[in-house]
Amino acid sequence: MDATEKKHNAAKASLEFIQPGTALGVGTGSTVNCLIELLPTVRERIDKVVSSSKASTKLLEDQGFEVMTLNEAGDLDVYIDGADESTKRLHLIKGGGGALTREKVLAGASRRFVCIVDDSKLVGMLGTFPLPIEVLPMAQEFVSRQLLKLRAQPVWREGFITDNGNHILDVQGLQITNPVELEDRLNRIPGVVTVGLFARRPADILLIASDSGVREMRA
Ligand code: 5RP
């Protein structure tokens, strides 16, 4: 089974968490794109939809959904999103698609965060995937110097501007043995907008698709 089929299967399995009257948060990325394709099949169960990126908003609108802002919608029942890496404790690296800031806001505003991945994303320790950090453009070099002091190697995602008008540093060489502590530490660097570690607010449910089906893990 190829990765696309697995992503589709994980997305399909997440539909059961959309119950009648759901205020739904929708993430960003290729796995979520599979979800957006499937959402019309549960349209009648969805009360409100909020999106984590301009890209997902466009796809949702193409499917006939009216996308609300979080300010309009209030708290969400369920947030469904993919990840770049997850541990068994459901700590995540996110931001490969650059939408980490709005993703973190929606995850924080949701009662339940359902993360959908294929089995290549499950890791023993986070950090093989470079950690995305969204930074204010004027602070990019300063933040990079602070990261170098931590023996990490920040790489500017050149030419990429986030939906919030900021830059992304993809940070290599981090040994993420304590994700909560590292998330807090990186968040304290002035100029950091969002760290792509989702450890303080991990996923609640991880749906992992493999050749043998979709397995559910809970935090
Ligand atoms: C976007 C994200 C995505 O969830 C993450 O990059 C996974 O993407 P994909 O489903 O395409 O593998 O965090 O900012």
Side-chain angles (χ1 to χ4, degrees):
M1 194 184 290
D2 67 15
T4 307
E5 212 173 326
K6 290 178 187 173
K7 287 173 188 197
H8 172 85
N9 290 345
K12 193 168 180 194
S14 72
L15 296 178
E16 74 166 273
F17 295 94
I18 303 173
Q19 292 298 315
T22 292
L24 177 67
V26 175
T28 300
S30 56
T31 315
V32 165
N33 291 350
C34 297
L35 172 71
I36 294 172
E37 273 179 29
L38 291 165
L39 279 183
T41 64
V42 295
R43 188 186 300 275
E44 71 289 348
R45 293 191 229 153
I46 300 171
D47 183 35
K48 301 170 186 172
V49 188
V50 177
S51 158
S52 63
S53 63
K54 291 178 182 171
S56 288
T57 297
K58 165 87 175 61
L59 293 174
L60 285 161
E61 287 175 349
D62 288 348
Q63 295 283 14
F65 288 97
E66 191 184 320
V67 179
M68 299 175 85
T69 66
L70 185 65
N71 290 330
E72 291 164 340
D75 284 346
L76 304 174
D77 297 304
V78 186
Y79 178 57
I80 305 177
D81 198 358
D84 300 301
E85 284 184 348
S86 176
T87 66
K88 282 184 191 160
R89 297 187 64 187
L90 277 51
H91 293 148
L92 312 173
I93 285 184
K94 289 186 47 54
L100 60 163
T101 296
R102 297 184 189 197
E103 292 174 342
K104 199 172 260 198
V105 173
L106 293 197
S110 299
R111 199 166 45 79
R112 184 179 256 183
F113 175 8
V114 179
C115 184
I116 50 178
V117 294
D118 66 78
D119 54 357
S120 68
K121 307 286 185 72
L122 191 62
V123 296
M125 183 171 71
L126 298 174
T128 302
F129 190 92
L131 176 67
I133 299 184
E134 181 165 345
V135 297
L136 290 176
M138 58 77 72
Q140 180 184 324
E141 290 303 319
F142 170 72
V143 174
S144 294
R145 289 197 296 279
Q146 306 315 303
L147 290 165
L148 287 169
K149 287 182 196 164
L150 299 176
R151 296 171 192 274
Q153 293 98 48
V155 177
W156 175 33
R157 202 180 292 181
E158 207 166 343
F160 184 88
I161 303 289
T162 70
D163 285 354
N164 314 304
N166 295 317
H167 289 181
I168 299 276
L169 296 171
D170 292 304
V171 185
Q172 300 170 348
L174 289 167
Q175 296 279 311
I176 309 182
T177 50
N178 188 335
V180 172
E181 194 267 336
L182 185 65
E183 184 177 356
D184 287 347
R185 187 169 183 180
L186 297 176
N187 269 327
R188 285 197 294 268
I189 302 173
V192 166
V193 176
T194 301
V195 178
L197 267 173
F198 285 53
R200 277 261 167 233
R201 201 288 180 241
D204 301 304
I205 293 165
L206 183 68
L207 298 173
I208 313 159
S210 67
D211 286 336
S212 51
V214 179
R215 186 157 57 107
E216 179 177 315
M217 290 174 67
R218 290 188 183 238

